[in-house]
Amino acid sequence: MGKPTGFMEYTRQVWTEEPVAERIKHFREFHKEIPYTNLRTQAARCMDCGVPWCHSHGCPLGNLIPDWNEMVWEDRLAEALELLHHTNNFPEFTGRVCPAPCEKACTLSLNNDPVSIKLIECEIVDRGFAAGLILPRPPGVKTGKKVAVIGSGPAGLAAAQQLGRAGHSVTVFERDEEPGGLLRFGIPDFKLEKRLIRRRIDQMEAEGVVFECGVDAGEDISANYLRRHFDAILLACGSKTPRDLEIPGRNLPGVHLAMELLAQNNRLVAGLPVDADNRIPAQGKHVVVIGGGDTGSDCVGTSIRQGAAHVLQIEVLPKPRQHDGTNNPSWPDWPNILRTSTSHEEGCERRWGISTKEFRGTGRVSEIVIEEVDWKFEPGKAPVMTARPGTEAVIKADLVLLAMGFLHIEHGRLVRELGVELDGRGNVRCDTSGASSVPGVFTAGDSALGASLVVRAIATGRKAAIGIDRFLSGESMLPDTSLLW
């Protein structure tokens, strides 16, 4: 624990954010570093709760949260950093984009503001880099075994780093021109600046991991090639098949999948080439985002920064309950309550219980036909949605972004040729080590879980690395801390 009475003496503090009027003018991160003395007092709020639910229930990685909080309070940053990296390869990613289920599971959440776990985690690693404490850790001995990692998102990166440190020769194949997966070409820069990904890639390359970008595994290289040249294969391709909306007018110009906008905008921010004929500008447009999750929120923030005239986000599910208290009403579980992101705060209209029936327009989309719906939820039964009579309406829409989530891994040539078994949701079926139905082929991240959190992706990547290490060497000395699988 930190200070025995800290949770009674200090109030919760999070990052100070740049004012809305200023931050919507750019795509950089907009939170401001807190003073180190304030960071220590935040760590001191961690209480001697007996059972640290943040660690045992709220964090898929099994982060040693009370331990590194104590180290921060005692001004032992190097030790805090070591404990943090023992369970998490990339705390600067999770500290920025994870929704922090650990904070909802914090014992203080029973009747108070939780410990600022996410802030402390991020500050530890950022200050560790600034102090020169984070260096490459190449293996002392090489095993002679070769592993191919398909996909360079958080799961693939975590597995690659762990396997490289175990002494295996690791090559990461990435379809895009830069590594990072959806961290690189999905999450906007105002949530995660891409220099942070490059910093980790540099570290991994110094440790011996090889990155082959612009290579579409299954097309540019075959499954047979991978089986011949590598001793093990990890599928960490992500859950990239989007949920679409097959209604009249879906093919009208101006109706796009969310990732088309987000990936393109990230390329523009990075100065990478974008086909001018396929640009999706939101400037001056009435933008409608369909889908109420994080991807939809990212579309909202991106559209506002591009200069949209108006942004409306609609969700077919009912509006979550309002909860203004400090406690977690579902402790220690994640509560289903109304959440407002920083993008929503920047100027966005939101509506719930809205079904989209048709896209209309001459030459390109100009309006949407919507209808209000009611839901009936009964235990043990599938939810039932019914249209509310007399509520059909037409709304203006110059640009429509479909942000309704993802279904499963792409069932392309690589998956077919490897012959891995899929589960009922269309993901790669695997055991608790990440091993698929095909010997030597493993899976991790969204390829196994379906679309999920960055923290879960890293956890499964680390689990799969242990499974691959055991497959190749008979045993593994890699730390097994994850609570997943």
Side-chain angles (χ1 to χ4, degrees):
M1 63 183 298
K3 185 179 181 181
T5 57
F7 69 97
M8 295 185 289
E9 297 178 30
Y10 309 122
T11 57
R12 174 180 166 94
Q13 180 182 357
V14 294
W15 287 294
T16 301
E17 295 171 349
E18 189 177 357
V20 169
E22 295 301 319
R23 72 191 193 217
I24 63 173
K25 297 177 182 178
H26 60 77
F27 284 92
R28 301 183 302 275
E29 291 181 12
F30 49 81
H31 69 252
K32 301 177 182 179
E33 184 181 272
I34 72 169
Y36 186 59
T37 54
N38 294 24
L39 179 66
R40 292 186 60 214
T41 58
Q42 289 306 296
R45 295 187 70 237
C46 189
M47 59 194 295
D48 186 11
C49 59
V51 178
W53 290 89
C54 58
H55 153 80
S56 63
H57 186 82
C59 181
L61 280 164
N63 279 341
L64 305 172
I65 296 165
D67 304 79
W68 41 256
N69 275 333
E70 182 175 3
M71 296 299 102
V72 171
W73 167 244
E74 295 179 355
D75 196 17
R76 296 155 65 183
L77 180 64
E79 292 169 81
L81 186 63
E82 188 67 25
L83 287 172
L84 187 55
H85 275 141
H86 181 69
T87 59
N88 187 354
N89 297 72
F90 315 117
E92 66 272 32
F93 301 161
T94 54
R96 285 172 166 83
V97 302
C98 178
C102 53
E103 293 190 5
K104 299 304 179 185
C106 174
T107 302
L108 271 178
S109 284
L110 276 166
N111 61 357
N112 204 332
D113 285 325
V115 174
S116 302
I117 299 170
K118 184 173 175 177
L119 174 144
I120 298 167
E121 173 185 31
C122 199
E123 290 287 336
I124 290 172
V125 67
D126 284 354
R127 292 171 188 273
F129 269 113
L133 298 175
I134 301 176
L135 301 170
R137 296 183 178 183
V141 178
K142 299 290 285 185
T143 65
K145 301 292 185 177
K146 295 165 55 176
V147 182
V149 176
I150 314 302
S152 66
L157 292 179
Q161 186 166 61
Q162 294 296 95
L163 289 165
R165 290 175 174 178
H168 307 302
S169 297
V170 181
T171 301
V172 179
F173 294 97
E174 171 54 54
R175 180 167 56 185
D176 289 321
E177 60 267 51
E178 291 282 342
L182 289 184
L183 293 173
R184 181 68 185 79
F185 291 111
I187 295 175
D189 286 65
F190 57 79
K191 290 174 64 175
L192 177 68
E193 291 186 6
K194 308 317 170 194
R195 61 181 176 82
L196 304 175
I197 303 173
R198 172 43 60 183
R199 186 170 64 182
R200 281 296 183 182
I201 299 301
D202 291 343
Q203 180 197 33
M204 293 176 64
E205 288 179 333
E207 293 172 351
V209 176
V210 175
F211 289 88
E212 294 284 349
C213 295
V215 178
D216 189 353
E219 299 296 333
D220 299 324
I221 54 174
S222 67
N224 287 334
Y225 172 89
L226 293 170
R227 297 300 298 268
R228 288 197 310 269
H229 289 83
F230 294 91
D231 300 293
I233 300 168
L234 175 65
L235 295 175
C237 321
S239 179
K240 291 188 175 180
T241 303
R243 181 176 285 105
D244 213 328
L245 190 59
E246 298 299 337
I247 60 174
R250 168 61 182 90
N251 295 323
L252 280 171
V255 181
H256 298 273
L257 296 168
M259 281 302 157
E260 295 179 50
L261 172 79
L262 296 176
Q264 184 182 101
N265 192 78
N266 282 7
R267 286 186 165 88
L268 290 169
V269 171
L272 297 173
V274 172
D275 184 358
D277 293 335
N278 293 318
R279 286 283 305 274
I280 312 172
Q283 184 176 10
K285 289 185 168 57
H286 284 73
V287 179
V288 177
V289 179
I290 301 177
D294 289 339
T295 301
S297 172
D298 292 343
C299 289
V300 168
T302 299
S303 298
I304 289 171
R305 282 163 176 76
Q306 287 191 0
H310 180 263
V311 180
L312 167 65
Q313 184 177 22
I314 60 177
E315 166 62 51
V316 71
L317 290 171
K319 184 177 181 178
R321 58 177 167 156
Q322 191 89 30
H323 179 71
D324 297 324
T326 57
N327 64 305
N328 174 11
S330 303
W331 185 90
D333 296 324
W334 183 257
N336 182 25
I337 58 177
L338 179 64
R339 291 179 175 82
T340 300
S341 72
T342 55
S343 292
H344 295 140
E345 294 170 352
E346 292 164 0
C348 166
E349 180 186 355
R350 303 166 74 186
R351 295 182 64 183
W352 291 265
I354 301 296
S355 175
T356 307
K357 299 183 65 177
E358 182 182 0
F359 301 120
R360 292 178 180 173
T362 303
R364 65 174 291 116
V365 69
S366 60
E367 57 187 29
I368 305 176
V369 180
I370 62 170
E371 187 174 43
E372 296 180 18
V373 295
D374 293 311
W375 288 86
K376 184 177 181 180
F377 298 93
E378 293 185 26
K381 297 182 180 179
V384 177
M385 182 185 78
T386 56
R388 188 179 300 166
T391 61
E392 185 174 302
V394 177
I395 59 175
K396 183 175 177 58
D398 305 312
L399 174 62
V400 178
L401 302 170
L402 306 180
M404 301 172 296
F406 301 87
L407 298 173
H408 47 65
I409 188 174
E410 292 179 345
H411 299 159
R413 183 176 172 186
L414 178 64
V415 170
R416 294 195 304 271
E417 290 185 352
L418 285 174
V420 292
E421 183 181 344
L422 304 178
D423 63 20
R425 298 176 300 158
N427 300 306
V428 179
R429 189 183 298 278
C430 64
D431 64 14
T432 55
S433 70
S436 76
S437 58
V438 177
V441 179
F442 292 73
T443 188
D446 291 357
S447 298
L449 298 174
S452 189
L453 305 177
V454 169
V455 67
R456 292 196 180 107
I458 296 173
T460 58
R462 290 170 63 93
K463 277 282 192 183
I466 295 170
I468 293 171
D469 193 24
R470 286 176 179 156
F471 173 79
L472 297 176
S473 307
E475 60 180 359
S476 179
M477 298 298 290
L478 293 171
D480 188 0
T481 61
S482 168
L483 304 180
L484 282 180
W485 286 344

